[in-house]
Amino acid sequence: MTKREQLYEGKAKKVFATDDPEFLIVSYKDDATAFNGLKKGTIIGKGVINNRMSNLLMQRLEKAGIPTHFIKELSDRETLVKKVSIVPLEVIVRNIAAGSFSKRYGVEEGFVFETPTIEFSYKNDELGDPLMDEYHAIAMKIATEEEIETIKKYAFGINEQLKAFWAECGVILVDFKLEFGRLMDGKIVLADEISPDTSRLWDSKTGEKLDKDRFRRDLGGVEDAYAEVMKRLTEHI
Ligand code: TMP
Ligand code: ASP
């Protein structure tokens, strides 16, 4: 597969065309941002870790019956994926209160939910990715009712798979963000990435944060945390 022109550069990845209109190449960067791009930095080696981790987890999800955009890892930082049109919703699943949930509702971080929750944010940097009710998403033709049902089913299924896997690694899956896309035939598949950039991962024994919150909150030891979760993942996958 030949890499062609760059189509897009996001905060953490670049996307390239290939000689096949149905395939793209994603390239993971070490750039890190937080608070809608307000805070900028570098997490050395993050691109390599996120590429590998996301690919390993997506292959595992495929085996569990969840369709993804993943095709083939091409190198340390590059992966061949199916071209999708991204549904502009950030799909957030939570098992434990943290981050914006804790802030919005005044709930202490670490409060364990009765059942997992799901919420959607409208992917729009100018508006700061506002929360979006599913009825509003349908009303605005961002997704159909059927697509929303499919996305919810996949998202909760992914949560069960990932929660169980991370538990084997001695890691608590607190919450995570997913993005879905439509293939050319309209089929919904998991896209984007699953990594410590997009998940909250806490050490089961110590509660130590092993994810991008170390960068967001200036806790230090960011690279070590990414390396640690990657090590545990490769030992258990
Ligand atoms: P939040 O508590 O800040 O809403 O974040 C919930 C989860 O979503 C957390 O695991 C981090 C992830 N996330 C992203 O991947 N991208 C984002 O832009 C934001 C705000 C959160
Ligand atoms: N990456 C996101 C941004 O810069 C935010 C985050 O992950 O906290 O907007």
Side-chain angles (χ1 to χ4, degrees):
M1 194 65 56
T2 314
K3 189 159 128 188
R4 291 272 164 89
E5 76 278 10
Q6 183 177 311
L7 298 175
Y8 172 78
E9 177 161 9
K11 292 178 195 135
K13 297 188 284 297
K14 292 179 185 173
V15 179
F16 297 88
T18 67
D19 45 18
D20 186 320
E22 292 196 35
F23 298 144
L24 298 174
I25 291 172
V26 176
S27 178
Y28 285 73
K29 307 189 286 181
D30 285 351
D31 299 355
T33 65
F35 315 118
N36 201 11
L38 233 60
K39 183 182 169 92
K40 289 191 176 71
T42 304
I43 302 174
I44 297 162
K46 167 173 91 82
V48 174
I49 288 177
N50 287 5
N51 183 40
R52 195 90 245 271
M53 186 180 293
S54 194
N55 292 341
L56 289 169
L57 292 174
M58 286 207 191
Q59 287 171 83
R60 205 180 161 95
L61 291 172
E62 285 275 2
K63 283 196 192 119
I66 290 153
T68 79
H69 71 166
F70 175 80
I71 301 176
K72 188 173 186 274
E73 191 166 296
L74 301 175
S75 70
D76 262 10
R77 288 179 187 270
E78 292 190 336
T79 294
L80 186 66
V81 298
K82 291 174 190 163
K83 183 177 180 172
V84 298
S85 128
I86 288 284
V87 177
L89 293 173
E90 299 204 334
V91 180
I92 296 161
V93 178
R94 301 178 193 266
N95 297 303
I96 295 177
S100 68
F101 188 100
S102 289
K103 201 170 166 205
R104 185 175 321 116
Y105 298 113
V107 184
E108 65 173 319
E109 275 208 349
F111 175 85
V112 180
F113 295 139
E114 180 68 27
T115 55
T117 70
I118 195 162
E119 75 212 40
F120 303 102
S121 289
Y122 179 34
K123 257 175 81 70
N124 183 317
D125 281 340
E126 268 171 51
L127 299 175
D129 298 341
L131 269 181
M132 181 171 267
D133 186 88
E134 63 187 78
Y135 292 96
H136 295 169
I138 295 164
M140 284 174 63
K141 300 193 183 188
I142 285 171
T144 66
E145 191 176 346
E146 198 191 345
E147 286 174 335
I148 295 278
E149 286 312 313
T150 303
I151 287 171
K152 286 200 288 191
K153 182 183 77 181
Y154 287 160
F156 283 125
I158 291 165
N159 184 44
E160 292 312 313
Q161 294 293 326
L162 295 183
K163 205 164 48 173
F165 173 66
W166 281 121
E168 288 171 30
C169 303
V171 170
I172 300 169
L173 179 61
V174 174
D175 59 30
F176 56 96
K177 186 264 299 182
L178 302 171
E179 293 184 29
F180 292 88
R182 297 179 190 96
L183 296 178
M184 279 172 179
D185 63 4
K187 193 177 145 203
I188 294 281
V189 300
L190 177 65
D192 195 47
E193 67 180 273
I194 308 174
S195 73
D197 271 21
T198 60
S199 316
R200 284 197 174 91
L201 304 167
W202 294 353
D203 183 277
S204 307
K205 285 207 186 90
T206 63
E208 192 189 354
K209 296 185 199 311
L210 300 172
D211 57 63
K212 195 178 160 191
D213 267 351
R214 301 206 72 86
F215 169 79
R216 294 189 188 98
R217 303 178 188 189
D218 295 320
L219 300 176
V222 188
E223 280 88 359
D224 287 349
Y226 277 66
E228 176 62 25
V229 274
M230 187 63 204
K231 177 172 159 276
R232 294 198 200 176
L233 178 139
T234 45
E235 280 168 3
H236 291 89
I237 205 132

